Amino acid sequence: LCWDRVAVPTVVTSGIVPLLLDLLASPDLETRLLCTATVANLMSYADSLLLTQDEVVEEVSGRVGSILDLAKSQDKAERCYAVAAVANATAHPTLAGRISELGGLELLRDIERDHKANLNLGGTRVAECAETAVLRLTGSRDPKIALRKYKYRWGNRPTMELMLDPQTHRKRL
């Protein structure tokens, strides 16, 4: 899922990114989740490694609409990964501009508001990601906001299994 800095250059230079972005439209939920999490991980390097990868940025820029559509998903995991991908992408000036052009700011404000309104205690990852994206898109100069990145690692126990069936695996979460 290229969550570490070592894997990203290989993924970027191998030409996998367009194929990965194609799979965001897959009818299979698990495939979409894995791809969306991977895109979120790739976008966590939008402010560093991807600054010199114009082809990848252009490809992602052309698919931002698809990622924003996934951010509207009824599936919690899919929405979480998509909002994280958007939040990470807002660290890149070209991608931030494209997100704004497609109405991403309004969508992210709605997501942030809805998730904060439905909280029992504390915050949620989706609300935090949406807040980060909104602050970046509105020009916040807070250094803490600039450093926020959202990555998803897969450990010994498949995180997918934990997320899709949290009742069974509650103790592990």
Side-chain angles (χ1 to χ4, degrees):
L1 292 171
C2 64
W3 52 265
D4 64 343
R5 190 175 186 89
V6 175
V8 173
T10 305
V11 170
V12 168
T13 59
S14 66
I16 294 173
V17 175
L19 302 172
L20 181 68
L21 294 169
D22 287 342
L23 289 173
L24 291 174
S26 171
D28 180 59
L29 176 62
E30 187 173 2
T31 301
R32 280 195 320 271
L33 287 175
L34 287 169
C35 290
T36 310
T38 304
V39 169
N41 289 346
L42 280 172
M43 291 301 100
S44 71
Y45 297 98
D47 63 342
S48 56
L49 296 174
L50 295 183
L51 286 174
T52 59
Q53 300 295 326
D54 294 337
E55 311 85 41
V56 173
V57 171
E58 284 180 36
E59 189 71 38
V60 173
S61 181
R63 308 289 180 91
V64 165
S66 299
I67 300 169
L68 289 172
D69 287 342
L70 292 174
K72 300 174 196 173
S73 173
Q74 295 301 313
D75 182 80
K76 291 178 185 179
E78 188 171 45
R79 183 174 53 246
C80 179
Y81 295 147
V83 174
V86 172
N88 288 337
T90 58
H92 192 284
T94 302
L95 297 174
R98 183 70 176 141
I99 291 165
S100 291
E101 285 174 15
L102 295 175
L105 180 58
E106 293 79 19
L107 172 66
L108 292 161
R109 281 186 175 148
D110 291 344
I111 290 170
E112 178 187 17
R113 184 187 64 247
D114 292 346
H115 281 269
K116 284 186 176 181
N118 293 323
L119 298 179
N120 293 329
L121 295 170
T124 67
R125 184 76 170 225
V126 174
E128 182 184 335
C129 291
E131 176 188 44
T132 298
V134 167
L135 289 171
R136 285 182 182 158
L137 291 173
T138 56
S140 174
R141 297 289 179 226
D142 185 347
K144 291 179 184 176
I145 301 301
L147 295 176
R148 286 186 189 169
K149 295 182 180 194
Y150 304 97
K151 296 181 187 178
Y152 300 93
R153 297 180 178 174
W154 305 99
N156 296 334
R157 186 85 174 175
T159 303
M160 190 68 59
E161 179 183 340
L162 297 175
M163 292 194 73
L164 294 177
D165 193 6
Q167 295 302 322
T168 304
H169 304 287
R170 176 162 274 168
K171 291 178 185 174
R172 293 192 63 96
L173 292 175

